[in-house]
Amino acid sequence: MPPPGGTPPPHPPPDGGWGWVVVGAAFISIGFSYAFPKAVTVFFKEIQLLFNTTYSEIAWISSTMLAVMYAGGPISSVLVNKYGSRPVVMVGGLLCCLGMVSASYSTNVVELYFTMGLICGLGLAFNLQPALTIIGKYFYKKRPVANGLAMAGSPVFLSTLAPFNQYLFNTYGWKGSFMILGGLLLNCCVAGSLMRPVEPKASTESKNKVGVRETDCSMKKRQKKLSVWEEINKYLDFSLFKHRGFLIYLSGNVIMFLGFFAPVIFLAPYAKDKGIDEYSAAFLLSVMAFVDMFARPTVGLIANSKLIRPRIQYFFSFAVMFTGICHLLCALAEDYTSLVVYAVFFGLGFGSVSSVLFETLMDLVGAQRFSSAVGLVTVVECCPVLLGPPLAGKLVDETGQYKYMYLACGAIVVLASVWLLIGNAANYRLLAREKKKSIHTKESQETEPLKTSQSPSVNIKSGKNEEWKGAEVNSSERETNI
Amino acid sequence: MRALQGLRGPRAPSLPLLLLCFLAALRRSLEHGLSTAAPFKSLPVQEEMMTKYSNLSLESHNISVTAAPFTSLPVQEEMMTKSSNLSLESHSISMTAAPFTSLPVQEEMMTKSSNLSLESHSISMTAMPIKENNKGNQICVDRGIMLQRNVTLVEHSNMPVEKNITLERPSNVELICQFTPSGDLNSVNVTWKKGDKLLEGNYLVNATGGILYTQHRVAVINSKQMGSYSCFFGEKKQQRGTFNLKVPEINGQNKPLITYLGDSVVLMCKCQDCLPLNWTWYGGNGSVQVPIGVPVNDKYVISGKHANETRLKITQLSEDDQGTYLCHAIFELGESEGHVKLVVLSYLVPLKVFCAIAAEVVLLVAAILLFEMYTQKKKKPSDDGKEFEQGEQLKLDDSNGIENSGPRHRKNESVGQ
């Protein structure tokens, strides 16, 4: 599939230099996006008392925030496709601040749903997707490491925000805390300002001078062919739904997320149910977050190695399977020590999955289409992420035991991993076959006289993997052909 | 006559015990039967009064008691036994498995003032807890489970042994102390005290297998029976075990609540598994406790979803509303309170922090963007220069063949600089 028409050809990613600053900025954005909805639960007890509601009504604020963050993916993808990452992240920061400051003035729960849930959630969506997209633009060779480092923001921010929120609550009450948190979220604007757009304008101008004549004709030709469907695809690439790898990834992830978050949420109640005191139960979560923090960059490094990188989809499937087996074994846990061991292994599994979660998507669809892909993935994943915990809660209520919930979650996650494994194995094989076919067709085409000049992105008809691999193949082909 | 097994010494005569319970059971019949019984009024529970009225003589009695986990007798009971000299001429009382309940105050008054002569009768009491008489004439009050609390003391240990017992409603409490003396069992002196006051009589002492057990039963009816009861072993080196009878504690909020001017806030007090009779709130600035909600107004609203909690909602907060608020829970056996501290701040406090953070963000963003523009400007002139040179090179290359080398070299030099 050709890249969306009208965009200039992709430039080789810098893979370093300012890219590491961008990773730091993405660290901040991703950290706020994932950690913030979980960290605000500290304030819920007092808000529930003041607004005289049940706890579940208040807990929906967190769920709404998460839902809007995921559902707002396509909107932010469209904006990133049009304007680039930087303005979107800055607008996201401003929205979050606005949402939190207006939340501090709210007088009932519905207002909180609107301000915190909707506005702040949208702002966080405008932070998450662009941060992930810009990593793909800045890195190729070291992309798994960059992804791992950026995703490590989530546990770091969670373990920092939770006690910090408690301190704010003790010093300023919930109203003052919301105002101050709004100010803190403005720092996303700082992160956004660091996200410089990748194309340095001087080089594009010089290149354009040279190739302007050739590309003009081809661009004119392309513009004639644009239809309504392609116009829409310019903003949000719906053609991804025909992409085989994307569909495998999407379906596998939807199944996985059903059983992914519930074990985290129910870890503390499970421990308390076994007779462990409150502080030790909370400590389990800290252990998990701590292991997660270090697992993510480490796994990113491992995924970057020569051995793993070409088979990163298998690595992802194995990481998911590892997590699923952890859940299954947790059902056997009886005392505190075994629960701590489970927390450690779960932290490892959770970290490794999160670290390569978006890396694998980038690997499948390529950096150009990643921003649309991530938007579409998050909006579809919205459902299992939201449905998972309440369903698990219902299971616990029905059976009266947490054990069955862990078994169910483990089974679902293992199923997802098996599906991903099979699907990706098939995908790799088909890709290899298509590559061979394209080499044969290229060789047969070489005999005919070349018509137009070579535009850097040669259209491989069956090539679904629009990676720099494609360009490398081209260059190697050209070399061999010559 | 079969003495109580294991009874030691005359310290806890079983006579008054049995007599009381017997009298308790018989009260009704006595009321109907004896016309000579003096009208029962509430008498002050004091020993002296007792001695004034009673002139009963104890002569012979036949009492057999089997398996009787006695409950604690009220304090007043001992007063009666001290001074009464009942005459029980011939009667047989058999009590089988009767966990007795506490005797009400009124009962002893009856025994105090009546001039009973019990001549021949046989009474058998096999009943288990006797139910409360709904007519208000309380005989043996059974209010729920009889509580039993144990304390184990080891000789020569200096650690104070204490147990807290939480009571909400009138009930019977049996306090048992176990003591393992190193020396002779019989030489150990056992005493019970409530607070600092020595309790006499009516506690059982039992010695089996080298361990000394002592029991003391308290019928807790109102707040006067609450307090701390201690058992003492030994004369010189006294080992002590303490039971603290208390009403349930109320949990307020440990950390101060932060609120702002013009806001509303809800203060909550809660206790675990308790049902107070009533809740009241007091606000205090300093030492003066002012009850809240007495003149009912919009500012204060007291509510509570469940019986074990109370909520006070205060609207339109002002600086005067700062301070500690007390929530009183009234139980049958006493009162308990929790406190909640309220702090009222002005909106400027967090606003200042917010403005500081916003200023920092603006500064950083401006600095980053300026730095970026600066580095790009640096690149641009050099880039333009390079392009200019390239263009010139092309021109010169084009005109390579036409001009001779001399002027070209000069031109090159001038261009190169």
Side-chain angles (χ1 to χ4, degrees):
Chain A
M1 287 288 292
T7 55
H11 298 277
D15 258 304
W18 189 253
W20 296 116
V21 180
V22 171
V23 168
F27 182 90
I28 297 173
S29 280
I30 294 174
F32 271 124
S33 303
Y34 278 119
F36 196 73
K38 294 176 203 163
V40 284
T41 53
V42 171
F43 303 108
F44 285 172
K45 205 173 173 192
E46 201 192 324
I47 299 176
Q48 176 206 346
L49 200 60
L50 181 63
F51 293 161
N52 203 19
T53 60
T54 60
Y55 189 75
S56 60
E57 279 179 39
I58 295 288
W60 267 104
I61 296 175
S62 207
S63 309
T64 318
M65 212 190 277
L66 206 63
V68 173
M69 188 175 93
Y70 270 75
I75 305 173
S76 86
S77 297
V78 167
L79 290 172
V80 167
N81 279 337
K82 192 144 193 232
Y83 299 111
S85 291
R86 176 187 266 173
V88 181
V89 175
M90 293 181 85
V91 167
L94 286 171
L95 269 178
C96 284
C97 173
L98 180 72
M100 287 311 283
V101 170
S102 45
S104 76
Y105 286 99
S106 58
T107 51
N108 58 39
V109 190
V110 179
E111 281 178 32
L112 276 180
Y113 286 150
F114 188 69
T115 52
M116 269 180 89
L118 192 67
I119 300 180
C120 199
L122 198 64
L124 290 176
F126 285 0
N127 266 294
L128 181 65
Q129 272 84 4
L132 294 167
T133 310
I134 203 161
I135 293 175
K137 288 194 184 150
Y138 263 90
F139 286 90
Y140 173 66
K141 287 183 198 156
K142 295 191 187 149
R143 201 173 57 198
V145 181
N147 259 312
L149 277 172
M151 293 296 282
S154 173
V156 166
F157 268 71
L158 186 60
S159 30
T160 327
L161 265 182
F164 181 69
N165 276 1
Q166 188 68 48
Y167 162 74
L168 277 182
F169 178 64
N170 290 341
T171 321
Y172 297 102
W174 68 274
K175 280 201 174 194
S177 301
F178 278 4
M179 192 176 275
I180 294 174
L181 281 172
L184 272 175
L185 284 167
L186 270 181
N187 282 308
C188 292
C189 293
V190 177
S193 64
L194 286 168
M195 292 181 186
R196 266 188 221 170
V198 136
E199 294 93 358
K201 287 181 185 172
S203 52
T204 49
E205 285 175 23
S206 58
K207 268 197 180 178
N208 280 346
K209 272 190 187 173
V210 175
V212 72
R213 263 183 236 154
E214 288 114 13
T215 49
D216 254 347
C217 309
S218 47
M219 273 179 73
K220 277 181 191 168
K221 279 189 186 170
R222 278 185 215 156
Q223 272 170 357
K224 281 182 191 169
K225 287 178 189 171
L226 279 181
S227 62
V228 177
W229 181 243
E230 282 174 338
E231 279 282 344
I232 297 172
N233 271 6
K234 204 163 51 160
Y235 291 105
L236 191 64
D237 198 357
F238 281 103
S239 63
L240 278 166
F241 283 114
K242 293 184 201 163
H243 192 296
R244 189 176 54 224
F246 178 77
L247 286 173
I248 296 170
Y249 177 87
L250 189 62
S251 47
N253 271 28
V254 163
I255 304 172
M256 180 183 77
F257 275 114
L258 264 177
F260 201 63
F261 287 116
V264 191
I265 294 173
F266 287 103
L267 187 59
Y270 181 46
K272 279 188 221 166
D273 191 57
K274 292 232 179 245
I276 297 167
D277 63 286
E278 216 177 281
Y279 290 106
S280 308
F283 182 65
L284 282 174
L285 283 170
S286 313
V287 165
M288 212 203 86
F290 192 71
V291 173
D292 191 12
M293 217 187 284
F294 289 104
R296 292 193 193 199
T298 318
V299 167
L301 265 171
I302 295 171
N304 206 21
S305 61
K306 270 189 185 169
L307 188 65
I308 305 282
R309 185 87 191 268
R311 303 173 192 89
I312 203 168
Q313 305 294 333
Y314 293 136
F315 182 74
F316 180 57
S317 317
F318 280 123
V320 176
M321 193 181 283
F322 178 77
T323 316
I325 294 175
C326 274
H327 294 331
L328 288 173
L329 291 175
C330 179
L332 297 171
E334 291 301 321
D335 59 347
Y336 187 61
T337 329
S338 50
L339 275 178
V340 172
V341 169
Y342 164 73
V344 168
F345 279 107
F346 182 36
L348 258 174
F350 195 77
S352 47
V353 170
S354 306
S355 169
V356 288
L357 187 67
F358 292 108
E359 169 59 34
T360 45
L361 185 59
M362 277 187 217
D363 182 66
L364 282 168
V365 303
Q368 275 290 94
R369 300 163 86 188
F370 179 72
S371 92
S372 314
V374 77
L376 293 171
V377 158
T378 51
V379 77
V380 175
E381 277 174 7
C382 190
C383 290
V385 165
L386 279 181
L387 284 177
L391 280 176
K394 236 185 184 173
L395 188 64
V396 171
D397 289 335
E398 296 277 313
T399 58
Q401 275 199 51
Y402 287 92
K403 193 169 72 164
Y404 297 111
M405 188 266 296
Y406 275 93
L407 282 173
C409 288
I412 292 173
V413 173
V414 169
L415 178 72
S417 75
V418 166
W419 165 243
L420 281 169
L421 202 63
I422 297 172
N424 279 311
N427 193 30
Y428 272 142
R429 241 175 246 166
L430 286 169
L431 278 175
R433 220 182 284 169
E434 282 157 7
K435 221 187 264 182
K436 274 186 192 169
K437 246 197 231 170
S438 72
I439 291 172
H440 288 313
T441 51
K442 278 239 100 195
E443 282 177 356
S444 58
Q445 275 179 4
E446 277 292 304
T447 56
E448 298 173 25
L450 292 168
K451 286 179 187 174
T452 54
S453 62
Q454 298 288 333
S455 52
S457 57
V458 174
N459 294 333
I460 303 170
K461 279 184 193 172
S462 46
K464 302 273 182 177
N465 204 345
E466 286 187 11
E467 278 286 62
W468 277 104
K469 280 181 194 170
E472 283 169 9
V473 167
N474 281 343
S475 55
S476 60
E477 280 173 6
R478 268 185 249 132
E479 282 166 14
T480 52
N481 286 334
I482 293 166
Chain B
M1 168 178 143
R2 199 173 54 157
L4 275 165
Q5 288 179 4
L7 265 185
R8 202 177 75 92
R11 187 156 293 121
S14 50
L15 290 167
L17 252 171
L18 299 166
L19 184 66
L20 273 167
C21 290
F22 145 72
L23 287 168
L26 279 184
R27 189 184 166 170
R28 248 204 206 152
S29 55
L30 284 170
E31 269 189 306
H32 297 310
L34 293 171
S35 54
T36 53
F40 303 154
K41 294 173 198 165
S42 63
L43 296 170
V45 181
Q46 270 163 36
E47 270 178 344
E48 315 85 57
M49 305 251 225
M50 289 258 322
T51 48
K52 277 190 232 167
Y53 298 124
S54 67
N55 44 9
L56 304 156
S57 65
L58 255 175
E59 270 162 30
S60 62
H61 58 272
N62 179 0
I63 301 152
S64 73
V65 176
T66 55
F70 291 95
T71 58
S72 63
L73 302 167
V75 177
Q76 297 84 343
E77 194 184 7
E78 49 159 7
M79 290 192 266
M80 184 204 78
T81 54
K82 269 191 253 172
S83 46
S84 69
N85 31 13
L86 305 151
S87 76
L88 299 159
E89 265 146 16
S90 54
H91 61 270
S92 72
I93 302 160
S94 68
M95 300 201 293
T96 54
F100 291 94
T101 55
S102 69
L103 307 165
V105 177
Q106 295 88 337
E107 199 189 328
E108 45 155 10
M109 290 190 267
M110 175 199 85
T111 53
K112 275 187 249 172
S113 47
S114 63
N115 304 335
L116 300 158
S117 69
L118 303 158
E119 260 142 48
S120 55
H121 54 266
S122 75
I123 301 144
S124 71
M125 300 202 289
T126 52
M128 294 299 273
I130 302 158
K131 294 261 161 71
E132 193 182 327
N133 186 340
N134 286 332
K135 287 183 185 174
N137 301 322
Q138 294 176 327
I139 310 174
C140 276
V141 175
D142 168 36
R143 301 244 202 169
I145 312 158
M146 179 183 67
L147 293 166
Q148 198 179 65
R149 289 288 183 272
N150 281 5
V151 156
T152 310
L153 288 172
V154 178
E155 191 172 14
H156 303 307
S157 77
N158 290 323
M159 285 180 50
V161 182
E162 236 178 276
K163 262 204 173 165
N164 291 326
I165 302 169
T166 306
L167 289 176
E168 200 184 313
R169 286 181 288 172
S171 51
N172 302 298
V173 188
E174 183 177 270
L175 311 167
I176 302 172
C177 288
Q178 276 182 8
F179 181 62
T180 315
S182 54
D184 183 24
L185 281 174
N186 297 323
S187 62
V188 181
N189 206 3
V190 182
T191 48
W192 281 87
K193 277 191 188 172
K194 177 179 187 279
D196 287 327
K197 197 170 154 192
L198 189 70
L199 303 172
E200 277 185 39
N202 297 327
Y203 37 87
L204 307 171
V205 185
N206 191 355
T208 44
I211 303 174
L212 202 56
Y213 296 90
T214 177
Q215 280 179 3
H216 181 71
R217 270 180 256 121
V218 188
V220 184
I221 302 162
N222 57 30
S223 58
K224 288 174 200 161
Q225 286 94 37
M226 306 291 274
S228 98
Y229 291 81
S230 310
C231 60
F232 291 91
F233 293 98
E235 297 274 3
K236 294 177 192 173
K237 268 191 194 176
Q238 282 202 329
Q239 300 288 330
R240 175 186 183 166
T242 312
F243 299 91
N244 295 318
L245 297 174
K246 293 183 197 169
V247 279
E249 270 184 21
I250 308 291
N251 298 323
Q253 264 135 343
N254 295 329
K255 291 181 195 159
L257 284 178
I258 317 274
T259 49
Y260 296 92
L261 296 169
D263 264 354
S264 23
V265 71
V266 172
L267 310 174
M268 190 169 90
C269 277
K270 213 174 176 180
C271 62
Q272 307 272 52
D273 309 319
C274 72
L275 295 165
L277 297 171
N278 203 3
W279 289 96
T280 43
W281 281 91
Y282 293 92
N285 280 338
S287 54
V288 179
Q289 301 289 325
V290 178
I292 293 178
V294 170
V296 178
N297 56 1
D298 283 333
K299 180 152 171 153
Y300 301 105
V301 176
I302 300 178
S303 61
K305 276 190 182 167
H306 310 283
N308 68 339
E309 68 176 32
T310 182
R311 298 180 187 198
L312 173 67
K313 182 166 184 177
I314 313 175
T315 50
Q316 300 291 324
L317 282 166
S318 63
E319 281 226 354
D320 301 326
D321 292 320
Q322 267 193 113
T324 311
Y325 288 80
L326 298 162
C327 52
H328 267 264
I330 300 170
F331 298 97
E332 287 181 46
L333 298 176
E335 281 188 5
S336 180
E337 68 178 29
H339 47 261
V340 181
K341 193 170 169 207
L342 193 67
V343 175
V344 183
L345 297 175
S346 146
Y347 245 116
L348 290 176
V349 175
L351 198 65
K352 279 185 207 165
V353 180
F354 175 79
C355 289
I357 300 176
E360 165 249 327
V361 165
V362 167
L363 274 172
L364 277 174
V365 170
I368 291 167
L369 290 175
L370 281 172
F371 175 72
E372 192 176 317
M373 281 194 327
Y374 178 68
T375 48
Q376 278 195 355
K377 267 188 190 168
K378 253 191 171 177
K379 268 189 190 173
K380 258 189 184 172
S382 56
D383 273 348
D384 288 339
K386 275 184 196 162
E387 285 177 15
F388 184 57
E389 281 176 32
Q390 280 178 9
E392 286 295 315
Q393 279 290 336
L394 285 169
K395 264 199 211 166
L396 293 164
D397 288 335
D398 282 341
S399 59
N400 197 5
I402 300 168
E403 296 176 20
N404 53 3
S405 53
R408 198 159 56 100
H409 281 302
R410 268 192 278 126
K411 266 192 185 173
N412 272 344
E413 281 173 356
S414 61
V415 164
Q417 286 162 7

